[in-house]
Amino acid sequence: MKKTITKYFTISLLLVLLSLVFIGCSSARKYKQENTLLKSEIQKRDSLKSVIINQAIDDKLITPVVQSSTGNPVLDSLVNAKVDEILSKLNTSKNSGDNSYKLIYDKLAKQLEFYSKMAQTKNENTATKTTNDKTIIQIKKIPVEIVKPLSKLEKFLMVLGIVTLLFLGYKTVVFIKNKTSLWV
């Protein structure tokens, strides 16, 4: 029974030593701080819309036509008749949508009448103003793992260390075996 306990103890000791060697040989991870610059701009757009509305115009112009008065009734009647004939030919009117005008000569009232109607007008102006209000600059440190391959010297020393530990473990087992005579 003592023999098996010593045997298991020796094997456990060797396993612990080997695991310590492998854990100890693994290199610690190295990190590098890398600065990252983040910029963000906030844009602000303002729109200004101006609307000018002109109201509709409804206009009327009446101009009396003065009768000829030279003192000669024959000449006055001829002149007045000719003026009435000429002005009667001016009667006209036009319509376009809500806009219209009309020119007429009223023989009875002896007057020239002008009527006009202009629709409402609307002017729109839009001005857009863009401003960059804020620029936010943030610096963040991001850890980046450096992966560096092992050099030939490091690999050689690792193999040499493992071989040395195996040799020392073998010599320890042989030494214990010879001294205790528990193993046959």
Side-chain angles (χ1 to χ4, degrees):
M1 172 101 167
K2 233 180 184 183
K3 203 185 224 187
T4 57
I5 292 174
T6 309
K7 185 177 178 183
Y8 285 123
F9 177 72
T10 307
I11 292 172
S12 321
L13 183 64
L14 278 176
L15 288 175
V16 168
L17 286 174
L18 282 176
S19 64
L20 285 174
V21 167
F22 286 118
I23 291 171
C25 287
S26 69
S27 62
R29 292 184 180 182
K30 296 179 183 175
Y31 289 100
K32 176 177 103 175
Q33 295 284 330
E34 186 174 290
N35 294 337
T36 304
L37 185 66
L38 300 175
K39 274 188 177 181
S40 62
E41 293 183 11
I42 298 172
Q43 286 190 348
K44 186 178 179 183
R45 290 183 184 231
D46 288 335
S47 293
L48 181 63
K49 184 176 183 179
S50 62
V51 178
I52 300 170
I53 298 175
N54 296 319
Q55 296 300 319
I57 298 172
D58 204 0
D59 196 17
K60 178 180 178 183
L61 175 68
I62 298 175
T63 304
V65 177
V66 179
Q67 297 297 308
S68 176
S69 60
T70 59
N72 186 350
V74 176
L75 181 65
D76 288 342
S77 67
L78 286 174
V79 170
N80 289 336
K82 203 57 160 167
V83 169
D84 285 345
E85 180 187 334
I86 292 171
L87 290 177
S88 294
K89 292 180 182 178
L90 287 178
N91 290 341
T92 183
S93 67
K94 296 279 184 194
N95 285 325
S96 175
D98 289 338
N99 299 324
S100 66
Y101 72 89
K102 182 179 188 182
L103 179 65
I104 57 171
Y105 177 67
D106 187 0
K107 282 184 180 182
L108 296 175
K110 300 288 186 193
Q111 61 187 13
L112 194 59
E113 298 175 3
F114 180 74
Y115 301 98
S116 69
K117 182 177 181 183
M118 288 181 248
Q120 168 181 320
T121 58
K122 184 178 184 182
N123 293 333
E124 290 185 19
N125 291 326
T126 303
T128 303
K129 181 181 171 186
T130 303
T131 56
N132 292 335
D133 279 350
K134 295 180 184 178
T135 302
I136 300 170
I137 299 173
Q138 294 177 335
I139 298 176
K140 284 190 174 181
K141 293 189 177 190
I142 302 171
V144 177
E145 185 178 341
I146 300 173
V147 178
K148 184 178 164 186
L150 295 174
S151 67
K152 289 181 182 179
L153 177 64
E154 288 172 333
K155 289 178 186 177
F156 173 74
L157 289 176
M158 281 176 59
V159 170
L160 183 65
I162 291 171
V163 169
T164 303
L165 287 174
L166 287 175
F167 178 74
L168 287 175
Y170 173 72
K171 281 298 194 177
T172 305
V173 169
V174 169
F175 177 73
I176 292 173
K177 185 178 177 183
N178 289 338
K179 289 291 179 182
T180 59
S181 71
L182 293 174
W183 293 342
V184 177

